[in-house]
Amino acid sequence: MIIDAHCDVLWKLWENDYDFHDSDLLRLNYKKWKKSDVKVQCFAIFVPDDVKEAAQYDVALEMVHIFFDRIIAPYDDVKFITSKEELISLAPHAKGAMLTLEGCHAIGHDLNKLKTLINMGVRAVGLTWNQANATCDGIEEKRGAGLSSFGEEVVDYLNEERIWTDVSHLSYQGFWDVMNRSQYPMASHSNVLELAGHPRNLDKDQLTALIKRKAWIGITFVPEFINGQTEAEWIEVLPHIDYILRMGGEDCLGFGSDFEGIDDIVKGLYDVNDFTAFVQQLIPRYGQRLVEKMSYVNFIDKFPRLR
Ligand SMILES: [Zn+2]
């Protein structure tokens, strides 16, 4: 069993007229998913940065509708997951689908918009994508500011609702501000900066802080975050896992594939079916129990929303 904390399938389906059921152009479609060991898939609402500000929230809602109309409604065996209770009680044959938000630019400066998204089932909220927004700066904003007053309000609200605050994509200062304020921090899709010097990765101090808080950390399959190049091999993911294990992160590790988030390919981790084979290949190296922790146990243990 695998839980994948991040993919951009909703974005792909919003931009293209692909059939979620079996389009070969998707690394995760229903048929591939069904065949795979991925039990629960998180689907990110990601509003691309070329959408005009006034339309961003509408686009987020369009993606929510795509999620319900094309991923949940057509399939009796795909269950919408909003709590730990639902995660644990998923039937053996069923798949779970969760909604997450990648970037609060989609809510502008309006907490009610976030409340609506949470009421619709969003269970992890990344405050930024790479740019700045009303809550915080993203990692590519050169100003590098941390949480705004509105951003603090957002984190407080997420705490009240027991929703994960996702630090992937945040500015460096934003990361520390969130660590100080969030009761439920996590990193949905980031690797180790010391091994691949991309600013989207987390440095040793950040990883130490996350591990100290027993926060969940999702290793991601983006070549640049693996080896700094535009191509990578699946085996190059392992040093990132090893590094976090050596730091004592056995209870924190997980996976956030970022399928559909990036066109660059990791050989041996092209799609959701490769993900199954990848996890199998980890067993001789790490042992069954540790692989289970990485694959799903840690995610379920740390999932903050109980019911
Ligand atoms: Zn991302």
Side-chain angles (χ1 to χ4, degrees):
M1 188 202 302
I2 301 167
I3 298 180
D4 181 1
H6 190 82
C7 79
D8 280 307
V9 168
L10 295 179
W11 173 37
K12 268 280 162 76
L13 294 176
W14 179 80
E15 283 209 327
N16 309 276
D17 195 25
Y18 297 156
D19 188 346
F20 177 69
H21 189 72
D22 59 3
S23 170
D24 283 337
L25 298 167
L26 291 170
R27 294 180 197 185
L28 187 136
N29 60 37
Y30 173 77
K31 275 193 161 169
K32 286 183 182 179
W33 186 17
K34 189 71 191 164
K35 231 171 51 185
S36 79
D37 276 350
V38 173
K39 178 83 173 166
V40 178
Q41 180 66 53
C42 295
F43 291 88
I45 301 164
F46 166 67
V47 179
D49 49 355
D50 54 0
V51 173
K52 287 205 185 80
E53 224 172 293
Q56 286 175 349
Y57 183 62
D58 290 338
V59 170
L61 293 182
E62 284 168 23
M63 290 191 193
V64 172
H65 295 317
I66 289 171
F67 175 79
F68 287 114
D69 295 347
R70 292 163 68 182
I71 295 175
I72 303 293
Y75 304 107
D76 286 343
D77 54 355
V78 177
K79 301 294 174 200
F80 179 39
I81 299 289
T82 61
S83 67
K84 183 185 279 206
E85 197 173 78
E86 290 168 350
L87 261 177
I88 292 168
S89 52
L90 254 182
H93 71 283
K95 300 288 190 188
M98 281 183 43
L99 267 178
T100 64
L101 177 65
E102 186 171 28
C104 281
H105 52 293
I107 62 160
H109 207 298
D110 187 347
L111 194 62
N112 281 326
K113 288 179 176 167
L114 182 63
K115 287 183 179 178
T116 302
L117 291 174
I118 300 301
N119 289 338
M120 286 192 285
V122 168
R123 289 296 178 259
V125 172
L127 298 183
T128 70
W129 192 60
N130 290 332
Q131 282 77 39
N133 65 44
T135 64
C136 197
D137 282 0
I139 191 66
E140 281 181 6
E141 166 57 55
K142 70 173 183 181
R143 174 179 55 184
L147 281 178
S148 65
S149 305
F150 177 61
E152 292 184 349
E153 236 181 284
V154 164
V155 173
D156 292 348
Y157 169 68
L158 296 175
N159 287 342
E160 267 166 45
E161 293 292 326
R162 299 184 68 97
I163 305 291
W164 262 328
T165 300
D166 183 356
V167 300
S168 289
H169 285 284
L170 275 185
S171 71
Y172 198 70
Q173 184 58 46
F175 172 91
W176 293 107
D177 289 352
V178 166
M179 291 305 285
N180 282 329
R181 199 161 188 109
S182 173
Q183 286 171 37
Y184 311 107
M186 63 93 87
S188 64
H189 58 307
S190 293
N191 293 341
V192 178
L193 187 86
E194 269 74 9
L195 301 177
H198 193 286
R200 272 278 288 103
N201 283 343
L202 299 162
D203 74 8
K204 200 174 180 185
D205 293 340
Q206 291 175 304
L207 290 167
T208 303
L210 286 165
I211 291 167
K212 203 167 150 202
R213 294 283 302 275
K214 299 209 171 297
W216 191 87
I217 303 166
I219 295 291
T220 193
F221 309 147
V222 177
E224 275 199 275
F225 308 169
I226 292 170
N227 63 12
Q229 313 291 315
T230 53
E231 248 186 41
E233 304 267 350
W234 70 270
I235 202 149
E236 293 175 282
V237 174
L238 307 189
H240 292 266
I241 296 173
D242 294 342
Y243 189 97
I244 292 174
L245 285 175
R246 279 199 305 275
M247 292 183 72
E250 174 176 338
D251 298 330
C252 302
L253 272 170
F255 300 108
S257 70
D258 208 8
F259 288 140
E260 313 299 356
I262 192 102
D263 290 334
D264 298 340
I265 287 166
V266 180
K267 283 187 205 146
L269 272 169
Y270 172 71
D271 68 9
V272 64
N273 293 125
D274 286 344
F275 202 167
T276 302
F278 169 76
V279 166
Q280 285 304 317
Q281 281 162 309
L282 300 183
I283 294 172
R285 186 178 175 111
Y286 300 110
Q288 182 81 28
R289 189 178 144 272
L290 184 48
V291 171
E292 284 172 1
K293 286 176 93 169
M294 291 186 234
S295 303
Y296 66 96
V297 172
N298 291 342
F299 185 98
I300 295 173
D301 276 356
K302 291 172 197 321
F303 193 72
R305 181 80 160 212
L306 302 179
R307 47 182 60 83

